[in-house]
Amino acid sequence: MVIRPRPLELSTAVARIGALPKNPSLVALRPSFALCSARYRRRYSGGAAVLEHPADAPSSSAPPPSINGESHEVPGLSNLKVLSADELGIRTSMISGPTHSVLKQLKKKGYDVYLVGGCVRDLIMKRTPKDFDIITTADLTQVKSAFKDCQIIGRRFPICHVHINKTLIEVSSFNTNVEKSESKLRFLKFPNCDEQDIIRWKNCLCRDFTINGLMLNPFSNKVYDYLGGIDDIKKGKIRTVIPARSSFQEDCARILRAIRIAARLGFIFSRETACSVKDLASSILRLDKGRIIMEMNYMLAYGSAEPSLRLLWRFGLLEFLFPIQAAYFVSHGFRRKDKRTNMLLALFATLDRLLAPDRPSHCSLWIAVFAFHDALANEARDPMVVAAFTLALYNGGNMVEAFCIARRISHPHDQTFPELSGKPVDLDSDEDLEREVQDLAFSMESSLSTMTDPYFVSHAMSMYPQAPSSNLVFISFPAYQEVCRIFDCTIHKRREKNFVPKSDEKINYWNLLNGTLPEVRYVLARVIFDTVFPPDMEINDQDAVPED
């Protein structure tokens, strides 16, 4: 059954297309030449998380309690550092408006409020936080009563979701973690300690990594560091709060978060953390599929997909999550610490240049990138076929227009990718080119089917007997259908009805986040074209159109 796609919204054409015909319908293509500017030049950064040589252990004056059966020194209150937010370079303007609204409302009600976790870390590092998390002395029921649009979600770790102007703010309560922290730390005594410090300290001890255990009081402009998180930020180091093995056994999703944070920030792992990630890699198979797709989306849809894939491969997680892609790495002799690139990594490096923590995409986009690459990995294609395919995506399925532009491309393609060195095919006629484009689309659909079939996934690494076996499939059938709709227009022979050209080359990130079909199509076409025909490749053809 063919899934009818929604009307496509035209976007800017891909960069470095040769001389264009003077066709009014193609005028929107010209602004895309600006995409070849320096800010879009290729950069393939290797995953920066590496095994730290010195085995640094956190200093502590507290007694070494046993947590989950392991002896570990818990950072005591004597390690507390209270720093000025101003001195750390944190300004009020760096906090989003909706977050400010929630903070002020809770403060007005008489509750203490703090920003906590990764957002404080990112503010210190002058990075844009993916989101802002708030913790308060109010109970969750009190938080809910303070806002019109607020729900309490979760059973094991309940939190409040507050909706302000299309923005979701997560609010947790200090009281939620009281029982958990008390069960672990009730034997510790706190003579002459400030009660508020004890409350904050206990909450920080329930965090995953020291760099996420920072609290910011936006009204007193104070940052509280009980775990040495600021020192670890300066060192660029990821270290668990409790022993790494215990931490990952307590919540194996922390393994994926460690990879994601390292990829995004370019941090290293402490020796203990690195070893535990490798040893417990298979434990992620116990995670709920919904949790896995959420963590994968955080890795691949927020601007750090390429280094995330490198780290998943380096630490033995790719075989469990994406066995088909792991088999591709092995078949191409890609070593665990390889600094080189390949077409799969190049596609995601191009995608990363268009996304950011505050400009993410819908999961259908990176799933489609996987499907496109797997189709080419299974059967190499002529660059003209790939160009025609992307242009057909771009213009709503108008093959005649796509072929006209594809034949005029004078910019060289990247010849280092074996996926583009297909066997010679006769593309002189539009009928031949159309057949090849449609075959590529059908191959993508086949690749999607393979990625969502446990049998094929479990046999992806069958050629490598020593490789772990995984039949994990976390891409849902609705997601499969959404991705099929993206390239379904390349199967038809005329432009879609109600097709509206995109007025400029800007990405509508709200539509992209929500998976709006025209926007996802546009970004997919742009990613593929700029990878196959990199804007910074030297042009030898004198007839090539210069940049605007």
Side-chain angles (χ1 to χ4, degrees), residues 103 106-107 110-116 134-140 142-143 171-176 199:
L103 291 167
L106 290 173
K107 184 67 174 178
Y111 306 116
D112 291 335
V113 285
Y114 303 85
L115 291 176
V116 66
I134 295 173
I135 191 167
T136 178
T137 53
D139 291 333
L140 294 183
Q142 294 171 321
V143 174
V171 181
S172 60
S173 171
F174 281 108
N175 298 330
T176 301
I199 292 174

Side-chain angles (χ1 to χ4, degrees), residues 337-382:
K337 298 182 181 181
D338 215 317
K339 301 296 183 182
R340 298 173 300 159
T341 191
N342 53 45
M343 190 176 186
L344 179 61
L345 292 174
L347 285 164
F348 279 99
T350 304
L351 177 62
D352 287 343
R353 292 195 286 275
L354 303 178
L355 305 179
D358 59 336
R359 299 195 303 272
S361 76
H362 190 266
C363 67
S364 60
L365 178 56
W366 57 261
I367 296 173
V369 173
F370 275 134
F372 168 78
H373 176 263
D374 187 57
L376 261 65
N378 291 328
E379 182 180 348
R381 307 281 173 167
D382 188 286

Side-chain angles (χ1 to χ4, degrees), residues 323-324 450 453-462 468-473:
I324 294 173
T450 300
D453 188 311
Y455 175 83
F456 287 105
V457 169
S458 64
H459 285 75
M461 300 286 287
S462 60
S469 176
S470 169
N471 64 349
L472 175 64
V473 171

Side-chain angles (χ1 to χ4, degrees), residues 28 59 96 101 111 140 155 166 172 186-187 210 260 263 266 326 344 368 387 411 422 424 461 481 483 495 497 505:
S59 59
S96 71
S101 298
Y111 306 116
L140 294 183
R155 294 183 179 180
K166 296 183 178 181
S172 60
R186 65 179 51 157
F187 55 84
T210 59
R260 186 222 312 165
L344 179 61
H411 191 72
M461 300 286 287
Q481 290 179 307
V483 178
R495 177 171 288 176
K497 294 181 179 179
E505 73 272 17

Side-chain angles (χ1 to χ4, degrees), residues 144-169:
K144 183 177 180 180
S145 64
F147 300 96
K148 293 182 179 179
D149 192 355
C150 178
Q151 300 86 33
I152 299 176
I153 66 165
R155 294 183 179 180
R156 186 181 177 192
F157 300 107
I159 60 173
C160 279
H161 276 180
V162 181
H163 298 270
I164 304 288
N165 298 331
K166 296 183 178 181
T167 300
L168 173 65
I169 308 295

Side-chain angles (χ1 to χ4, degrees), residues 43-64:
R43 60 184 188 278
Y44 301 128
S45 57
V50 296
L51 181 61
E52 180 191 63
H53 293 292
D56 296 335
S59 59
S60 173
S61 60

Side-chain angles (χ1 to χ4, degrees), residues 42-51 53 266-268 306-307 310-311 313-315 329 332-343 345-346 349 417:
R42 297 169 78 193
R43 60 184 188 278
Y44 301 128
S45 57
V50 296
L51 181 61
H53 293 292
F267 277 19
I268 64 172
E306 188 258 2
R310 286 185 183 271
L311 292 180
W313 172 240
R314 178 171 181 179
F315 286 92
F329 276 31
H332 284 71
F334 207 76
R335 301 182 298 276
R336 296 290 180 179
K337 298 182 181 181
D338 215 317
K339 301 296 183 182
R340 298 173 300 159
T341 191
N342 53 45
M343 190 176 186
L345 292 174
F417 301 141

